[in-house]
Amino acid sequence: MLSPPAGFPDEATLHDLIEQAPEMLPLSGAPQLLILGKEAPLGSGFADLVGVETSGRPVIIEVKLAQNNEARRAVVSQILAYAASLHGMTREHLEERFGSYLKARGHDSLEAAVSATEGGAFDSDEFTESLDEHLREGRFRLVFVLDSVPPELMTLVAYLEHVTDKLVIDLVAVNAFDISGSSVVLPQRVTPERHEVTVERTRRQDSGTLYTGSERFEATISSVPDESQARLHRLLEWARDLERQGLVRLSTYEGKGAKRHTLLPRLMGDNVGLVTIWNDGGASLQFWRSVFEKRAPHFIGQIEELADVQIGKGNTVRDFNDELLAALTEAYRDASQAEMT
């Protein structure tokens, strides 16, 4: 039987653990992470830890323990202020800011440090281009590390993820246990969607109705022109195949006045989807970048190439083929497996 958590003596202890082994954090998408600095000056404050993914996305990590209750209340505004300070910073300025930290660890440059972290083939041009874009666009990963996650923080994080596709946010609960005289640290990612209230079979919304299943969506297909019906049936069968494989749960949303119909292939655990299928008089796929970045980031480039569109919140395509749908199936499979880790 596992003993109650022993806790951490202070936040600095947890800072040190993450600095020494950032891979201990179970971040969505399982990125490789390089720490750039600890107690790093950003704006008018000091971020606990700043890092960068080998893909080029900057990362800000804030650690807050229950004993620091006042600071926990302010942690969201605090980390957003740090992100605002990074937004628009040039890559050269970033490297200058953290160069001494990297040099103290044997790296002559940011690229050299990332290359060592990557541990394999490293494309310097691709990394620098990606880092420049992330800094310019304000696309960051924000990580909250806590010994317990308050419900109000989960609500705030769920809201932030809903209103922007530029932030990937991870909530990580970390506890230490004393086992036979040794301290064992157990981190666990907490997903806000898992804490939503379970809905009834139908749920009335301000602008429409949500139904479980795909039958209502299928019934709308006959209302569109003949040339669109086959394409809608193709998308419907693709979504049903995902459901048969246990990768998604299907639901149908009908807009007010039943003029807009969507089929929602949502991941089983988190109740979010990589795409939405539209019947708006035709057939189209809508992509959700924030979900891709958290659940299937390695598929973004492939999907963008096949769909010939940059995945962004709300972007849609009407031209799709079997190759694109096969890639989306693999993305859903990857996202589904990530939920279970």
Side-chain angles (χ1 to χ4, degrees):
M1 181 176 180
L2 197 63
S3 61
F8 299 91
D10 50 44
E11 292 174 357
T13 300
L14 197 45
H15 295 175
D16 293 340
L17 283 173
I18 297 170
E19 179 188 24
Q20 295 164 15
E23 65 274 10
M24 69 176 280
L25 297 176
L27 305 181
S28 58
Q32 286 189 288
L33 181 61
L34 168 71
I35 298 298
L36 298 178
K38 184 173 68 171
E39 294 297 324
L42 282 177
S44 59
F46 293 84
D48 290 341
L49 294 153
V50 175
V52 64
E53 298 174 15
T54 55
S55 64
R57 189 202 317 275
V59 180
I60 303 172
I61 302 171
E62 279 297 296
V63 177
K64 291 292 178 285
L65 301 181
Q67 60 188 261
N68 194 352
N69 197 42
E70 288 302 316
R72 291 210 316 175
R73 291 192 179 99
V75 67
V76 173
S77 60
Q78 193 175 44
I79 203 169
L80 289 176
Y82 298 148
S85 296
L86 273 184
H87 181 207
M89 183 181 292
T90 65
R91 172 170 39 88
E92 292 78 10
H93 188 192
L94 182 74
E95 184 161 11
E96 179 183 344
R97 176 75 62 89
F98 298 106
S100 59
Y101 182 92
L102 295 175
K103 283 183 170 58
R105 283 148 184 82
H107 303 296
D108 293 332
S109 67
L110 176 57
E111 291 176 39
V114 174
S115 179
T117 301
E118 182 75 15
F122 174 66
D123 190 322
S124 175
D125 291 337
E126 183 178 334
F127 170 75
T128 56
E129 182 180 343
S130 175
L131 179 57
D132 284 338
E133 179 185 356
H134 280 86
L135 289 169
R136 183 175 61 252
E137 297 294 326
R139 294 188 178 277
F140 305 139
R141 181 186 294 270
L142 309 181
V143 184
F144 299 91
V145 181
L146 310 99
D147 49 357
S148 64
V149 183
E152 61 269 22
L153 181 56
M154 288 190 285
T155 300
L156 280 170
V157 167
Y159 172 72
L160 286 172
E161 290 186 320
H162 177 73
V163 298
T164 182
D165 65 338
K166 293 189 175 182
L167 298 177
V168 175
I169 307 176
D170 288 294
L171 288 172
V172 179
V174 179
N175 283 298
F177 296 87
D178 189 349
I179 300 179
S180 301
S182 298
S183 179
V184 177
V185 178
L186 297 178
Q188 180 181 11
R189 189 170 78 245
V190 179
T191 306
E193 291 91 346
R194 294 176 190 265
H195 297 268
E196 293 179 343
V197 176
T198 303
V199 296
E200 308 245 343
R201 185 177 185 279
T202 65
R203 181 179 67 196
R204 290 287 168 181
Q205 300 184 348
D206 292 340
S207 56
T209 307
L210 183 70
Y211 299 89
T212 58
S214 57
E215 291 76 13
R216 301 233 5 152
F217 184 84
E218 182 178 21
T220 69
I221 295 179
S222 61
S223 66
V224 305
D226 292 343
E227 61 270 19
S228 297
Q229 290 187 24
R231 295 171 62 76
L232 283 168
H233 277 295
R234 176 69 185 93
L235 290 176
L236 174 63
E237 286 309 307
W238 169 73
R240 283 177 169 172
D241 187 55
L242 292 181
E243 189 173 50
R244 283 191 290 270
Q245 295 181 55
L247 302 179
V248 304
R249 180 184 298 108
L250 296 179
S251 57
T252 301
Y253 178 76
E254 292 186 356
K256 192 173 183 179
K259 294 179 180 180
R260 308 175 74 187
H261 312 275
T262 60
L263 183 62
L264 309 173
R266 290 174 168 173
L267 293 165
M268 301 296 288
D270 287 349
N271 200 34
V272 295
L274 300 173
V275 301
T276 295
I277 299 171
W278 282 86
N279 175 2
D280 53 359
S284 61
L285 280 167
Q286 183 175 28
F287 300 96
W288 299 100
R289 188 178 188 92
S290 61
V291 183
F292 265 97
E293 289 187 333
K294 291 202 70 171
R295 307 294 189 264
H298 305 302
F299 285 85
I300 292 177
Q302 181 185 6
I303 299 300
E304 288 183 333
E305 182 177 352
L306 291 172
D308 193 26
V309 67
Q310 183 176 9
I311 294 178
K313 190 174 181 179
N315 282 0
T316 61
V317 296
R318 290 189 179 276
D319 294 326
F320 56 88
N321 54 32
D322 289 345
E323 189 176 5
L324 174 59
L325 295 182
L328 285 171
T329 297
E330 292 307 310
Y332 264 103
R333 182 171 290 111
D334 190 64
S336 180
Q337 291 172 349
E339 283 190 303
M340 296 184 289
T341 60

